[in-house]
Amino acid sequence: MRNPGAPQAGSISQGFRVMFYMVQPNETTFQTLEEVPDYVKQATPIFISLMLLELIVSWIHKGKLPGGLDDALTSMSAGVLSRLPGLFFRSIEVTSYIYVWENYRLFNLPWDSPWTWYLTFLGVDFGYYWFHRMAHEVNIMWAGHQAHHSSEDYNLSTALRQSVFQIYTSWIFYCPLALFIPPSVYAVHLQFNLLYQFWIHTEVISNLGPLELILNTPSHHRVHHGRNRYCIDKNFAGTLIIWDRLFGTFEAENEKVVYGLTHPINTFEPFKVQFHHLLYMWTTFWATPGFFNKFSVIFKGPGWGPGKPRLGLSEEIPQVTGKEVPFSSSASQLLKLYTVVQFALMLGFYEDTFADTAVLSQVTLLLRVCFIILTLTSIGFLLDQRPKAASVETLRCLMFLMLFRLGHLKPLIPSLSFALELTDFYPGRRVTKYFPVESRHHKIPEAKYKVVDLSKKVIIIALHTTMTEEIFPLRSPNNEMGRT
């Protein structure tokens, strides 16, 4: 049962306050895990609104955009990829927590106590600090986390550049909380901690005065994303910067920060962004002699090598001049506009898929995920001007037509119109008739369709309907249709 003092979870006011952790225990406390809202999903329009606001503010105050379009598309593509596994199974950060809670908990703190809420806030943030620090200091964990640091711009879209597989190591650092904190309280703060970190990825906010002493701020996090020597392995905080101050990893922003990896990867292809370091590790692992050295390649720092300290040598980190120019696509402006349009269309299918997950078949889900992945790959190829970009894009378009033809994709605005194609139906004749159809999952209120035969193909055009489900293949019209 939800705390009776809690307001509507999806309210616009609460949505914005959640982004800054400006919420009260009584409005975000739930008894069961099933009652906890998907705050991250609800925040999608807020992400977009804040990114547009950042763009406007940057243009007014600096006379330029906060980053490149190609880099922003790559960051958002990574965000899309990172959430796709959620279509098939619950997050391992939650499932592992539930397992520990159900089998090993020592005692049960009250779910509706403000003290439990605040303790969980501190516990999740503390766990995040140590996960984040290890993600920089353990090579196999860095292989996942590096995707987030690969952007050479620093703006709100960078916050969306998430790793596909770092979640498979982060859960370890939260499991101790499961010994006494209910899963419903943990699930709330796990989302809040992530959402708080969105707005600190910006250059339009310079300094927040006294808040800099306690909170993780844009200034502190800019240092974390820098590849300057003074920035490396600093400021791991999620919400509170006090952890860095306590454990000696704090560094204030001073000289100009140059963003990105110490060795830029110069690509917008999403799979290379996600997995290039794993390939590098694989090569290094086999090229390094000795069992213990091979073990160290995996579990010591990214900069480690035989005879070096655990985290490598700071003098081997490339120097920056402050005049570095971020990598940008050589594609034409028209081609970039095309990729933006295709990404926007894909995003519509992506949101629609998450909204309808409960009623879509596993086959449809899998095919939609394949289409989304192929779209992101094609966009990356086009921006990179890869030789096979045209072939991949052609394949993607053909896949779209096939999925649409088979009913696995539907129009973004089904209440306006949609079309299906049937072959060899009354060839050479014009047919007009109105008839009802059924959805894949249940009957839909009768909808009227006009059928027109064109070149031995029948196109069915919706005239009056508010259908929101996929359309099941129409039953045979032999006894249903009249000729006119």
Side-chain angles (χ1 to χ4, degrees), residues 204-268:
V204 300
I205 299 174
S206 57
N207 190 283
L208 294 179
L211 293 178
E212 302 278 339
L213 297 173
I214 303 171
L215 297 177
N216 192 14
T217 65
S219 177
H220 297 329
H221 206 58
R222 283 194 290 269
V223 171
H224 179 72
H225 272 259
R227 67 178 195 246
N228 314 55
R229 287 184 178 177
Y230 87 94
C231 297
I232 300 299
D233 295 341
K234 300 296 182 181
N235 299 0
F236 299 111
T239 304
L240 300 174
I241 200 66
I242 58 173
W243 310 120
D244 288 286
R245 296 183 184 278
L246 284 172
F247 298 111
T249 53
F250 175 75
E251 188 68 47
E253 184 180 25
N254 46 67
E255 64 187 69
K256 175 181 171 60
V257 177
V258 179
Y259 305 107
L261 301 173
T262 56
H263 298 87
I265 55 176
N266 295 339
T267 184
F268 300 110

Side-chain angles (χ1 to χ4, degrees), residues 28-96:
T28 54
T29 300
F30 307 88
Q31 184 175 11
T32 66
L33 195 61
E34 290 70 28
E35 294 177 86
V36 178
D38 188 341
Y39 290 106
V40 175
K41 180 181 177 182
Q42 293 176 4
T44 298
I46 300 176
F47 291 158
I48 297 172
S49 300
L50 290 178
M51 285 191 287
L52 290 175
L53 179 61
E54 179 190 42
L55 187 150
I56 294 170
V57 172
S58 179
W59 182 263
I60 292 174
H61 285 275
K62 298 184 178 181
K64 64 177 184 178
L65 299 177
L69 178 64
D70 39 24
D71 190 87
L73 281 177
T74 305
S75 293
M76 290 187 286
S77 295
V80 168
L81 280 176
S82 70
R83 291 206 69 204
L84 290 179
L87 288 169
F88 301 99
F89 42 80
R90 179 182 275 174
S91 163
I92 190 173
E93 287 180 318
V94 176
T95 54
S96 59

Side-chain angles (χ1 to χ4, degrees), residues 28-329:
T28 54
T29 300
F30 307 88
Q31 184 175 11
T32 66
L33 195 61
E34 290 70 28
E35 294 177 86
V36 178
D38 188 341
Y39 290 106
V40 175
K41 180 181 177 182
Q42 293 176 4
T44 298
I46 300 176
F47 291 158
I48 297 172
S49 300
L50 290 178
M51 285 191 287
L52 290 175
L53 179 61
E54 179 190 42
L55 187 150
I56 294 170
V57 172
S58 179
W59 182 263
I60 292 174
H61 285 275
K62 298 184 178 181
K64 64 177 184 178
L65 299 177
L69 178 64
D70 39 24
D71 190 87
L73 281 177
T74 305
S75 293
M76 290 187 286
S77 295
V80 168
L81 280 176
S82 70
R83 291 206 69 204
L84 290 179
L87 288 169
F88 301 99
F89 42 80
R90 179 182 275 174
S91 163
I92 190 173
E93 287 180 318
V94 176
T95 54
S96 59
Y97 193 95
I98 293 173
Y99 177 80
V100 175
W101 167 260
E102 291 180 344
N103 294 279
Y104 300 105
R105 71 175 179 265
L106 302 178
F107 53 91
N108 186 356
L109 292 180
W111 65 271
D112 55 351
S113 168
W115 291 107
T116 302
W117 194 93
Y118 287 114
L119 179 63
T120 310
F121 159 63
L122 291 174
V124 168
D125 202 48
F126 183 72
Y128 178 82
Y129 169 84
W130 282 107
F131 152 68
H132 197 184
R133 182 168 175 173
M134 291 302 102
H136 282 254
E137 297 184 0
V138 177
N139 206 13
I140 189 63
M141 295 177 65
W142 171 249
H145 185 63
Q146 58 77 32
H148 181 63
H149 283 264
S150 60
S151 174
E152 294 179 64
D153 290 330
Y154 189 77
N155 51 53
L156 293 178
S157 72
T158 307
L160 304 179
R161 188 177 288 222
Q162 296 294 317
S163 167
V164 171
F165 66 92
Q166 79 169 22
I167 194 173
Y168 300 105
T169 56
S170 60
W171 62 272
I172 300 169
F173 298 86
Y174 300 120
C175 279
L177 298 176
L179 298 175
F180 51 92
I181 291 175
S184 62
V185 187
Y186 161 75
V188 167
H189 287 279
L190 188 66
Q191 295 184 78
F192 288 176
N193 191 274
L194 175 65
L195 290 172
Y196 177 89
Q197 295 177 58
F198 175 78
W199 72 273
I200 61 177
H201 290 81
T202 185
E203 290 188 299
V204 300
I205 299 174
S206 57
N207 190 283
L208 294 179
L211 293 178
E212 302 278 339
L213 297 173
I214 303 171
L215 297 177
N216 192 14
T217 65
S219 177
H220 297 329
H221 206 58
R222 283 194 290 269
V223 171
H224 179 72
H225 272 259
R227 67 178 195 246
N228 314 55
R229 287 184 178 177
Y230 87 94
C231 297
I232 300 299
D233 295 341
K234 300 296 182 181
N235 299 0
F236 299 111
T239 304
L240 300 174
I241 200 66
I242 58 173
W243 310 120
D244 288 286
R245 296 183 184 278
L246 284 172
F247 298 111
T249 53
F250 175 75
E251 188 68 47
E253 184 180 25
N254 46 67
E255 64 187 69
K256 175 181 171 60
V257 177
V258 179
Y259 305 107
L261 301 173
T262 56
H263 298 87
I265 55 176
N266 295 339
T267 184
F268 300 110
E269 201 278 300
F271 280 93
K272 188 173 181 181
V273 168
Q274 293 286 343
F275 302 114
H276 77 95
H277 193 76
L278 275 178
L279 294 176
Y280 169 77
M281 281 184 62
W282 177 262
T283 303
T284 305
F285 179 86
W286 291 111
T288 302
F291 172 80
F292 289 105
N293 284 337
K294 290 182 184 296
F295 183 86
S296 297
V297 167
I298 299 174
F299 295 105
K300 289 188 178 180
W304 178 86
K308 298 178 184 177
R310 181 176 67 89
L311 299 180
L313 299 169
S314 60
E315 55 266 29
E316 291 185 348
I317 298 171
Q319 286 276 23
V320 298
T321 64
K323 299 179 181 180
E324 286 77 7
V325 178
F327 176 71
S328 62
S329 172

